[in-house]
Amino acid sequence: MMNKFKSGFVALVGRPNVGKSSLLNSFIGQKITITSEKPQTTRNQLRGILTTDDYQVVWIDTPGLHKSLHQLGDQMNRAAKSVLSDVDVVLWVLDAGAGLTAADQKVAALLKDIKVPLLVVWNKNDLITPETILPELPMLIPNPIQRFDKQFRVSAQTGQGLDELLAEVVDELPNGPAFYPPDQLTDHPERYIAGEFLREQVLRFTEDEVPHSIAVQVEEMKERSNGRIYINATIYVERDSQKGIIIGAKGERLKNIGQAARENLERLLDAPVYLSLWVKVRKNWRNSEVFLKEFGYWEERPK
Ligand SMILES: Nc1nc2c(ncn2[C@@H]2O[C@H](COP(=O)(O)OP(=O)(O)OP(=O)(O)O)[C@@H](O)[C@H]2O)c(=O)[nH]1
Ligand SMILES: [Mg+2]
């Protein structure tokens, strides 16, 4: 019998906050990448792997493309752009509720010359009525290689339209063997995801510059004989004043951050989790190559 198994890499790209990470989690059926209502949540590429008897789709979540103000932003944009030359399909994600923004137009300019199928995905379709006519994408029409006429209206939140989009994605994939074992969900170790789950809660519990000024390092993650998983992590901030904000009065905010992250971690690891959290200052780390490398935000891949 001929082997008709299909496999390939599918990038989710777009401006910040359109729902790229939410879509990846919905496709995988489990939370592996973090999401938040604040833009610039995702900082690295992360692969989410969906395997069935017939195909393996390796979804690649990327940081939202934006105008960067520091070296961290440069590295994030680099991580998002570097994916484009290396995948079988690109999904350009837009926010149906927001329409076509100036930031989307900048993304479009980057996508103009890519050489693989590009599908336009209007996410957050639950925010508009079915009658709403979405904007045309005139800047893309001149390119004959692309299939910009293929636009999808989906909702990561309700699941609407995802099956149809998945079918189209699989259709575009080449025949070939799986890249990962069928039970593997992501290319990142649990320790990395644990740090991200903590960062996600710091994003939720803080405002203004604080959420963007933090990085999380998991120093230790160990299963003890009682079946509990002990996680020792440090939240890094850029200024002394931010340290106080994270900790909060009588340690209340840090406690809330830990508690919320622990719930997600227990779901991910399927075991009780004990968290030990520290807060430290790394002055201006977002503009330091040394710290960006230490925190895993240095994009080594060629552009
Ligand atoms: N109503 C609605 N909200 C959504 C949907 N998908 C995502 N969101 C919300 O939109 C916000 C941004 O979602 P993310 O998945 O973090 O967006 P992103 O594109 O990954 O953002 P960056 O990582 O910053 O580039 C979050 O508050 C999500 O809950 C959707 O289908 N409908
Ligand atoms: Mg994201």
Side-chain angles (χ1 to χ4, degrees):
M1 213 177 81
M2 247 186 23
N3 186 2
K4 283 280 168 60
F5 195 84
K6 291 183 136 199
S7 63
F9 295 86
V10 180
L12 292 145
V13 297
R15 69 168 172 86
N17 216 37
V18 291
K20 300 176 293 298
S21 303
S22 303
L23 282 167
L24 183 136
N25 287 335
S26 296
F27 279 124
I28 300 301
Q30 198 178 323
K31 180 183 178 62
I32 54 170
T33 183
I34 65 167
T35 67
S36 91
E37 60 190 22
K38 301 193 172 79
Q40 295 165 42
T41 296
T42 305
R43 289 178 176 168
N44 279 322
Q45 284 183 24
L46 179 138
R47 294 178 179 185
I49 304 147
L50 174 68
T51 311
T52 70
D53 290 342
D54 304 315
Y55 58 81
Q56 179 172 80
V57 184
V58 183
W59 309 94
I60 307 179
D61 190 15
T62 66
L65 288 154
H66 65 286
K67 190 173 179 295
S68 81
L69 300 172
H70 38 62
Q71 283 196 58
L72 171 64
D74 293 344
Q75 294 305 318
M76 285 160 62
N77 282 331
R78 199 180 268 238
K81 285 182 206 164
S82 71
V83 85
L84 294 173
S85 54
D86 244 6
V87 292
D88 300 290
V89 182
V90 172
L91 302 188
W92 176 24
V93 185
L94 297 118
D95 178 338
L100 185 68
T101 68
D104 294 317
Q105 308 238 22
K106 289 200 179 114
V107 174
L110 283 171
L111 297 178
K112 233 173 168 162
D113 301 319
I114 61 164
K115 303 286 185 286
V116 295
L118 182 147
L119 309 177
V120 175
V121 179
W122 292 95
N123 186 39
K124 309 197 190 183
N125 202 49
D126 55 287
L127 296 178
I128 58 170
T129 61
E131 299 79 45
T132 311
I133 295 165
L134 289 166
E136 281 189 28
L137 303 172
M139 70 290 236
L140 295 174
I141 288 162
N143 187 335
I145 311 163
Q146 295 305 335
R147 285 159 247 182
F148 299 126
D149 51 321
K150 292 219 175 149
Q151 300 202 16
F152 293 81
R153 293 166 77 129
V154 304
S155 167
Q157 194 159 294
T158 67
Q160 182 205 351
L162 294 184
D163 287 348
E164 202 187 334
L165 175 57
L166 174 63
E168 180 66 31
V169 163
V170 171
D171 217 46
E172 300 285 0
L173 294 185
N175 288 330
F179 293 94
Y180 292 95
D183 55 351
Q184 188 171 342
L185 280 184
T186 177
D187 62 330
H188 280 62
E190 281 172 345
R191 176 190 280 249
Y192 172 84
I193 297 182
E196 286 290 90
F197 279 15
L198 279 161
R199 192 165 67 82
E200 181 178 53
Q201 296 310 326
V202 180
L203 282 162
R204 295 238 148 93
F205 282 94
T206 57
E207 292 300 329
D208 303 324
E209 259 309 280
V210 181
H212 299 297
S213 294
I214 70 122
V216 177
Q217 289 276 74
V218 172
E219 269 94 35
E220 194 184 20
M221 189 162 163
K222 250 198 202 133
E223 185 166 356
R224 298 265 165 89
S225 53
N226 58 7
R228 258 192 175 191
I229 296 172
Y230 283 74
I231 298 174
N232 204 332
T234 305
I235 298 168
Y236 289 98
V237 294
E238 287 193 303
R239 288 196 292 276
D240 291 320
S241 59
Q242 295 172 335
K243 189 172 167 175
I245 292 170
I246 301 280
I247 294 170
K250 294 186 183 150
E252 197 64 23
R253 188 171 286 119
L254 189 60
K255 201 175 133 195
N256 290 337
I257 288 168
Q259 209 158 340
R262 190 158 56 81
E263 283 168 24
N264 285 330
L265 284 165
E266 291 184 337
R267 218 166 293 139
L268 177 84
L269 303 168
D270 202 18
V273 166
Y274 181 84
L275 271 179
S276 172
L277 297 179
W278 306 90
V279 185
K280 287 184 188 158
V281 181
R282 286 273 185 279
K283 291 227 156 62
N284 202 21
W285 68 260
R286 283 186 293 174
N287 269 319
S288 151
E289 184 175 332
V290 171
F291 290 141
L292 288 171
K293 283 184 172 158
E294 184 184 330
F295 296 149
Y297 295 136
W298 197 258
E299 181 57 31
E300 300 289 356
R301 283 159 270 226
K303 246 181 151 176

